[in-house]
Amino acid sequence: MWDYTEKVKEHFFNPRNAGPLEQANAVGDVGSIQCGDALRLMLDVDPETEIIRDARFQTFGCGSAIASSSALTEIVKGKTLDEALKVSNQDIAAFLDGLPPEKMHCSVMGREALQAAIANYRGEAWKDDHEEGELICKCYAIDSALIERVVRENGLTTLEQVTHFTKAGGACASCHEKIEDVLISIVAARCEAGAIEAAPVAPAVVTPATVEKPRMTNLQRMRKIEEVIDSVRPMLQNDHGDIEVVDIVGKNIYVNLKGACMGCALEAATLGAIQQKLFEELGEYVRLLPASQLEMAR
């Protein structure tokens, strides 16, 4: 689905420094298995020089999460803690010759784990940005503080970019308006500061996958939607279920889940996963909704 660089593939299939580090004196835990990604970064720091002698990781996540964690450990080994703190998520992506835009949140998670580990070594209380601001995305527990920081550090300008870098808005889409409010406030601040031409996302992370998809005709769009639905149908049928498109109204795609999928406890998760695939393929944000909500919409 995504265009991975050779270095991403290499660090996924042959990750460096994976597994526990018995002599670790700095440990950073970020993410949540419930939200889909979790990372533990372990460092062996020389107490006299504060040079990172070794680094290892354990992660629960996708191939990009594994590759980003592997890259991070390679980047920080041999650096002092102060030097390591200057490593950005863009540096992690650049080390891998770029990440697909949909996977940039993996590099952000790596940077957070590094900050958490260094704070742990120094005996400092470290709080991730998820706990500091207004909760924006309930699906992935992402708050306004994290979104604001990532937007500023990476020069983000669109809702789609925010989702790629933080996952916020990647499930039910109910938080899209709040994310846009955060973007508007930051753009307004840039205007006041005379910095409206903020730097775009660094070229280091650009891969062929970052090229914006050409705008589709209505017919092409409908065919693409059906194509995506057809691609997930065999998986649902293996679980004695099925899915059909009932209607498409603007950004809303109404579907019926059938068989074992209908009324399943994982129905919302199933729709969320298919919705994520739809807007990755369409290049636009859509909402996948049960057909029972169609009458209410009318």
Side-chain angles (χ1 to χ4, degrees):
M1 184 185 301
W2 296 292
D3 190 0
Y4 294 107
T5 67
E6 290 303 315
K7 286 193 74 173
V8 171
K9 295 175 186 176
E10 170 63 20
H11 279 265
F12 168 55
F13 289 114
N14 300 290
R16 280 57 158 180
N17 312 305
L21 180 62
E22 292 184 5
Q23 68 272 28
N25 53 7
V27 179
D29 290 307
V30 297
S32 166
I33 291 178
Q34 289 90 341
C35 294
D37 294 294
L39 169 61
R40 166 168 285 185
L41 178 67
M42 296 152 284
L43 307 177
D44 174 19
V45 182
D46 186 321
E48 294 185 3
T49 62
E50 288 200 337
I51 290 176
I52 299 171
R53 296 180 293 205
D54 199 4
R56 297 182 71 83
F57 76 92
Q58 292 174 298
T59 189
F60 176 88
C62 63
S64 294
I66 294 170
S68 295
S69 302
S70 173
L72 175 62
T73 57
E74 290 290 275
I75 291 170
V76 300
K77 282 196 293 185
K79 291 185 182 294
T80 66
L81 295 184
D82 287 339
E83 290 171 339
L85 277 174
K86 296 177 183 177
V87 174
S88 68
N89 67 281
Q90 296 281 352
D91 293 328
I92 297 170
F95 184 89
L96 294 168
D97 293 336
L99 283 168
E102 297 88 350
K103 294 297 181 179
M104 280 302 296
H105 62 270
C106 297
S107 65
V108 173
M109 184 171 68
R111 183 173 185 268
E112 287 188 328
L114 179 59
Q115 292 173 326
I118 293 175
N120 173 253
Y121 176 82
R122 291 176 169 172
E124 300 169 354
W126 183 83
K127 285 187 177 182
D128 61 27
D129 289 338
H130 307 244
E131 301 174 358
E132 295 179 359
E134 176 194 359
L135 184 62
I136 299 289
C137 177
K138 295 180 180 178
C139 298
Y140 293 113
I142 305 296
D143 79 348
S144 59
L146 174 62
I147 293 173
E148 288 173 9
R149 176 175 65 76
V150 173
V151 166
R152 289 192 173 96
E153 289 181 353
N154 295 279
L156 309 186
T157 57
T158 68
L159 172 63
E160 183 178 24
Q161 289 174 337
V162 171
T163 299
H164 292 164
F165 277 70
T166 67
K167 295 180 72 174
C172 73
S174 63
C175 59
H176 286 184
E177 186 175 347
K178 288 187 176 181
I179 295 173
E180 288 176 340
D181 288 342
V182 172
L183 283 168
I184 290 169
S185 67
I186 293 174
V187 170
R190 286 174 183 164
C191 290
E192 292 174 5
I196 187 63
E197 295 183 1
V201 177
V205 305
V206 175
T207 71
T210 64
V211 178
E212 189 173 332
K213 292 181 173 65
R215 189 174 182 84
M216 298 181 185
T217 66
N218 287 336
L219 180 59
Q220 289 173 327
R221 184 171 180 267
M222 287 187 288
R223 284 176 176 168
K224 177 59 71 174
I225 291 170
E226 287 288 357
E227 180 183 314
V228 172
I229 295 298
D230 286 341
S231 72
V232 302
R233 181 169 284 117
M235 177 184 66
L236 300 180
Q237 290 174 337
N238 285 340
D239 290 330
H240 308 289
D242 207 343
I243 185 172
E244 67 171 354
V245 177
V246 175
D247 202 356
I248 302 171
V249 183
K251 299 284 187 183
N252 294 339
I253 303 170
Y254 296 93
V255 298
N256 270 331
L257 290 176
K258 296 182 172 182
C261 293
M262 185 172 58
C264 169
L266 296 177
E267 179 176 337
T270 299
L271 291 176
I274 299 172
Q275 175 179 283
Q276 173 76 19
K277 187 167 184 176
L278 279 165
F279 67 62
E280 286 165 358
E281 289 294 320
L282 292 170
E284 64 175 285
Y285 284 89
V286 294
R287 298 182 67 190
L288 193 66
L289 301 168
S292 58
Q293 296 186 24
L294 183 57
E295 287 302 318
M296 291 186 288
R298 291 172 176 168

